[in-house]
């Protein structure tokens, strides 16, 4: 319920892309929420970065409307203030208090009715976490932009500094198309693109603009407009400005551009054209899809895959160019052979298109989706065939990656810092280590480390060098200006697989990060 109204609303969504400085149309006039609430209710909004609450209203003789409310001007209905304070305390507990809560819960279990039953089974739950572990902090990874500018990192993120920094090696945009439905969309997009694109050091010519007739839910107007354009065939990329999040329209456009026409496509919603953070991310996505080098960290060649059926391999030393392969509708026993075949295809692509006579000196494989009970099968069905194929030409490092594990690390009631590595938890016949590559607020819970198992290594690289290369790979995902949980190649393979649920793509696009 809003503090300035007596009506009740049901929360339908939380929009983290909007804030009180976002604009909407009131009686045909564009206004920010800050100005609207000041003029209408004489209310000043304090937090200008808070997300907005989406609700649906239905007035007499009118269609349903989706509007947004300001969180700080609303409160829960039917909940006593004492309960609200209790909920707030539970949600915003520090790491130390959460550890205390766990210890209290364990004590209750050990001293309760089930204690005797636990003793019969020989079970004993410790009330304190294991404290004999030590960790080392990996050296910070320097992220370079253009002109050797070093991006400033804050808790593993450089999203604030990337806005005003030239890209490491941007691509020129000479032949591109923007499809829109209203003139203001084109002008607003180009105004934002010029402003932020120039900051990123991008050289571009004005695109060929195509205006469609009306908004339609199927995307036919966009497809017809592109079919009629003589510039579409030779375009580098197609940018479509969409009115909303209609998945059918989005999917049909992607299917036509990427699969039927083998062109790169970038979609953006019209209501996001004046949002700096979103437009900056759109520009970065466009550049990544064109195989630009957005930023640089010195790492060796990497590859990622998961059992759902996608493999991504970097094919240049800067990790800006990838080739991706996906497979579907295969039985579980066939997954290993598909993974190996995809890696071999990627190596052939590397050999034929970029370095002709040479093969990479080292292949670093990150393999996700292998359980502890499948390690022997993985060795027999994936590692050994790869070693036989590579021979003496290329050395192999094969690492298993597990995001889902129950291990947590705490020091003095706080999460370990970004860049921490723990290697003292070892299993038989396995060199295991954990890396924390992303930051979590102390009030948001415990950081989940990523578990790595070094399955095979016939190179001269030390384990410390492998730790560093793995951590640096977490800095190379071009869809986010910051560190990610797992190596970038795994993120790309996952993103490639997700894109197939939206639309197919033409095999000619394999060498591009078209799925971002």
């Amino acid at each position: 319920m809003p503090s300035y109204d007596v009506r009740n609303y049901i929360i339908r969504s939380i929009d983290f892309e909007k804030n009180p400085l976002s604009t909407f149309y009131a009686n045909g006039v564009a206004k920010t929420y800050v100005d609207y609430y000041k003029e209408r209710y004489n209310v000043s909004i304090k937090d200008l970065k808070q997300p907005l609450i989406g609700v649906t209203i239905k007035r007499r003789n009118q269609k349903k409307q989706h509007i947004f409310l300001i969180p700080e001007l609303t409160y829960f209905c039917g909940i006593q203030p004492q309960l609200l304070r209790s909920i707030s305390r539970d949600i915003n507990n520090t790491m130390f208090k959460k550890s205390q809560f766990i210890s209290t819960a364990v004590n209750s279990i050990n001293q309760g009715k089930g204690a005797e039953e636990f003793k019969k089974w020989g079970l004993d739950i410790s009330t304190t976490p294991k404290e004999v572990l030590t960790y080392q902090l990996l050296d910070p990874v320097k992220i370079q932009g253009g002109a050797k500018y070093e991006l400033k990192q804050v808790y593993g993120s450089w999203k604030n500094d990337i806005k005003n920094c030239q890209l490491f090696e941007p691509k020129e945009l000479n032949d591109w198309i923007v499809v829109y439905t209203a003139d203001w969309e084109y002008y607003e997009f180009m105004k934002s693109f010029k402003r932020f694109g120039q900051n990123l050091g991008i050289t571009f010519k004005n695109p060929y603009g195509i205006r469609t007739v009306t908004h339609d839910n199927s995307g036919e107007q966009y497809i017809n407009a592109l079919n009629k354009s003589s510039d579409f065939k030779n375009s580098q990329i197609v940018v479509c400005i969409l009115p909303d999040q209609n998945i059918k329209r989005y999917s049909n456009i992607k299917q036509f551009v990427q699969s039927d026409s083998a062109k790169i496509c970038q979609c953006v919603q019209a209501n996001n054209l004046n949002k700096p953070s979103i437009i900056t991310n759109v520009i970065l996505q466009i550049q990544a899809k064109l195989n630009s080098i957005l930023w640089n960290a010195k790492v060796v060649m990497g590859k990622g895959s998961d059992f759902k059926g996608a493999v991504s391999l970097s094919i240049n030393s800067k990790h800006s160019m990838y080739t991706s392969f996906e497979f579907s509708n295969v039985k579980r026993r066939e997954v290993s052979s598909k993974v190996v075949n995809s890696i071999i295809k990627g190596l052939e692509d590397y050999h034929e298109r970029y370095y002709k006579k040479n093969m990479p000196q080292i292949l670093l494989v990150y393999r996700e989706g292998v359980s502890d009970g499948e390690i022997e099968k993985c060795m027999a069905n994936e590692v050994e065939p790869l070693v036989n194929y590579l021979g003496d030409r290329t050395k192999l490092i094969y690492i298993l990656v597990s995001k889902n594990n129950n291990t947590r690390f705490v020091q003095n009631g706080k999460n370990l810092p970004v860049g921490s590595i723990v290697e003292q938890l070892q299993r038989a016949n396995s060199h295991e280590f954990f890396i924390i590559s992303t930051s979590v607020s102390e009030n948001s819970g415990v950081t989940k480390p990523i578990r790595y198992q070094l399955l095979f290594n016939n190179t001269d690289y030390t384990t410390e060098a492998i730790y560093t290369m793995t951590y640096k790979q977490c800095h190379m995902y071009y869809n986010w200006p910051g560190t990610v949980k797992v190596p970038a190649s795994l993120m790309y393979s996952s993103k490639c697989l997700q894109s197939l649920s939206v639309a197919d793509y033409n095999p000619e696009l394999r060498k591009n990060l078209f799925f971002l």
Side-chain angles (χ1 to χ4, degrees):
M1 176 182 289
S3 58
Y4 51 83
D5 201 349
V6 296
R7 284 180 291 187
N8 297 335
Y9 298 92
I10 298 176
I11 298 175
R12 300 296 183 187
S13 63
I14 305 293
D15 194 336
F16 290 92
E17 301 296 335
K18 293 182 180 294
N19 59 53
L21 295 177
S22 301
T23 59
F24 70 106
Y25 286 92
N27 297 323
V29 180
K31 292 184 178 181
T32 65
Y33 290 89
V34 173
D35 295 337
Y36 175 79
Y37 279 95
K38 187 64 177 177
E39 296 172 6
R40 179 73 181 271
Y41 301 104
N42 195 28
V43 175
S44 298
I45 300 174
K46 298 178 181 179
D47 185 357
L48 301 181
K49 295 183 179 180
Q50 60 187 305
L52 302 187
I53 299 173
V55 300
T56 301
I57 61 173
K58 175 69 170 70
R59 294 190 175 95
R60 184 178 298 176
N61 299 326
Q62 293 184 9
K63 295 181 179 180
K64 287 183 178 180
Q65 292 180 301
H66 192 67
I67 65 172
F68 293 93
L69 304 178
I70 309 298
E72 75 175 50
L73 302 181
T74 62
Y75 56 91
F76 288 117
C77 302
I79 300 180
Q80 296 297 324
Q82 296 90 336
L83 181 57
L84 283 176
R85 285 193 291 269
S86 176
I87 294 173
S88 178
R89 282 195 301 269
D90 290 339
I91 292 175
N92 298 318
N93 267 345
T94 62
M95 186 60 243
F96 179 72
K97 289 184 177 180
K98 289 179 179 179
S99 298
Q100 283 185 323
F101 175 81
I102 293 173
S103 297
T104 302
V106 171
N107 275 326
S108 299
I109 294 172
N110 288 338
Q111 298 172 8
K113 296 179 180 179
E116 292 297 326
E117 192 67 28
F118 282 163
K119 290 180 181 179
K120 293 179 182 178
W121 288 88
L123 297 176
D124 182 33
I125 305 177
S126 174
T127 58
T128 57
K130 192 173 183 180
E131 297 180 352
V132 297
L133 298 173
T134 59
Y135 73 94
Q136 68 182 83
L137 195 61
L138 295 171
D139 294 333
V141 174
K142 293 183 179 180
I143 303 299
Q144 284 187 334
K148 297 184 178 180
Y149 176 79
E150 184 177 331
L151 293 164
K152 298 174 183 176
Q153 301 182 52
V154 181
Y155 298 111
S157 172
W158 50 92
K159 65 178 182 179
N160 292 328
D161 208 23
I162 191 69
K163 299 175 184 177
N164 303 309
C165 165
Q166 292 187 7
L167 301 183
F168 191 83
E169 287 184 11
K171 294 283 187 181
E172 291 187 8
L173 268 175
N174 297 321
D175 300 297
W176 56 307
I177 294 174
V178 176
V179 187
Y180 57 96
T181 59
D183 290 339
W184 72 267
E185 294 176 350
Y186 178 83
Y187 294 128
E188 189 70 34
F189 173 77
M190 289 308 302
K191 183 176 75 173
S192 299
F193 194 94
K194 289 177 181 178
R195 176 185 172 188
F196 300 110
Q198 289 173 352
N199 290 343
L200 295 171
I202 299 172
T203 303
F204 61 91
K205 296 180 180 178
N206 285 334
Y208 179 73
I210 302 177
R211 179 171 177 175
T212 63
V213 180
T214 58
H215 292 310
D216 69 292
N217 292 330
S218 66
E220 285 297 323
Q221 295 290 350
Y222 292 82
I223 295 172
N224 292 337
L226 289 170
N227 269 326
K228 295 176 182 178
S229 172
S230 59
D231 297 278
F232 178 52
K233 183 178 180 180
N234 298 319
S235 61
Q236 293 172 275
I237 191 169
V238 176
V239 178
C240 294
I241 302 177
L242 307 180
D244 52 40
Q245 295 180 337
N246 186 291
I247 188 64
K248 182 179 179 182
R249 181 195 301 114
Y250 174 79
S251 178
N252 288 343
I253 292 173
K254 284 281 189 177
Q255 177 71 27
F256 170 74
V257 179
Q258 292 181 178
S259 179
D260 301 343
S261 307
K263 295 294 180 182
I264 302 173
C265 181
Q266 177 69 47
C267 295
V268 58
Q269 288 187 53
N271 60 352
N272 292 328
L273 296 177
N274 60 351
K275 297 178 181 178
S277 60
I278 294 180
I279 290 298
T280 300
N281 194 50
V282 166
I283 297 173
L284 293 177
Q285 287 181 338
I286 290 174
Q287 285 291 305
K289 292 175 180 182
L290 294 173
N291 288 334
S292 302
I293 302 178
L294 305 191
W295 54 79
N296 180 46
K298 295 181 180 179
V299 289
V300 300
M301 182 175 170
K303 167 263 159 188
S305 66
D306 63 18
F307 71 92
K308 294 181 179 179
V311 174
S312 294
L313 295 95
S314 65
I315 50 180
N316 67 335
S317 60
K318 301 297 184 184
H319 289 81
S320 63
M321 300 177 69
Y322 282 77
T323 183
S324 300
F325 301 89
E326 83 294 330
F327 49 87
S328 58
N329 300 322
V330 298
K331 297 179 180 179
R332 189 172 186 84
R333 64 175 180 270
E334 299 172 342
V335 170
S336 290
S337 63
K338 291 290 186 181
V339 168
V340 173
N341 291 337
S342 296
I343 294 174
I344 292 174
K345 288 179 182 177
L347 290 172
E348 291 172 349
D349 196 11
Y350 172 97
H351 176 263
E352 293 174 5
R353 292 192 295 163
Y354 295 98
Y355 293 92
K356 303 302 179 184
K357 298 181 180 180
N358 298 325
M359 289 288 282
Q361 293 180 346
I362 294 175
L363 175 64
L364 173 58
V365 176
Y366 295 105
R367 173 72 158 94
E368 188 181 355
V370 177
S371 65
D372 291 341
E374 296 174 316
I375 292 179
E376 291 185 5
K377 291 182 179 179
C378 183
M379 277 292 297
N381 299 331
E382 296 181 24
V383 177
E384 292 179 7
L386 277 176
V387 172
N388 293 333
Y389 172 79
L390 297 173
D392 297 329
R393 300 172 300 173
T394 302
K395 300 298 183 181
L396 176 66
I397 302 174
Y398 210 92
I399 299 176
L400 304 183
V401 183
S402 175
K403 292 186 289 188
N404 299 320
N405 64 81
N406 296 321
T407 306
R408 301 292 184 272
F409 300 112
V410 179
Q411 183 186 43
N412 299 325
K414 294 184 178 180
N415 290 315
L416 298 187
V418 172
S420 298
I421 175 172
V422 179
E423 57 172 337
Q424 291 189 357
L425 287 177
Q426 298 295 335
R427 301 189 181 194
N429 302 321
S430 172
H431 186 94
E432 185 177 272
F433 60 97
F434 294 80
I435 292 181
I436 296 174
S437 57
T438 54
S439 176
V440 174
S441 168
E442 293 298 333
N443 294 330
S444 299
V446 191
T447 303
K448 178 188 284 189
I450 301 302
R451 174 182 154 210
Y452 297 88
Q453 289 178 274
L454 181 56
L455 194 60
F456 183 84
N457 177 20
N458 63 357
T459 72
D460 295 329
Y461 281 101
T462 63
T463 53
E464 288 74 16
I466 293 174
Y467 301 157
T468 301
M469 291 187 291
T470 299
Y471 180 50
K472 286 183 177 180
Q473 262 282 311
C474 296
H475 294 67
M476 297 305 297
Y477 184 55
Y478 283 165
N479 210 24
W480 168 247
T483 52
V484 289
K485 289 184 178 181
V486 296
S489 45
L490 278 176
M491 297 292 292
Y492 289 132
S493 62
S494 177
K495 195 72 174 177
C496 176
L497 194 62
Q498 291 175 14
S499 70
L500 293 178
S501 63
V502 176
D504 294 330
Y505 66 93
N506 193 293
E508 293 181 15
L509 295 180
R510 288 191 192 280
K511 64 182 180 180
N512 300 92
L513 297 174
F514 67 92
F515 41 77
L516 293 183

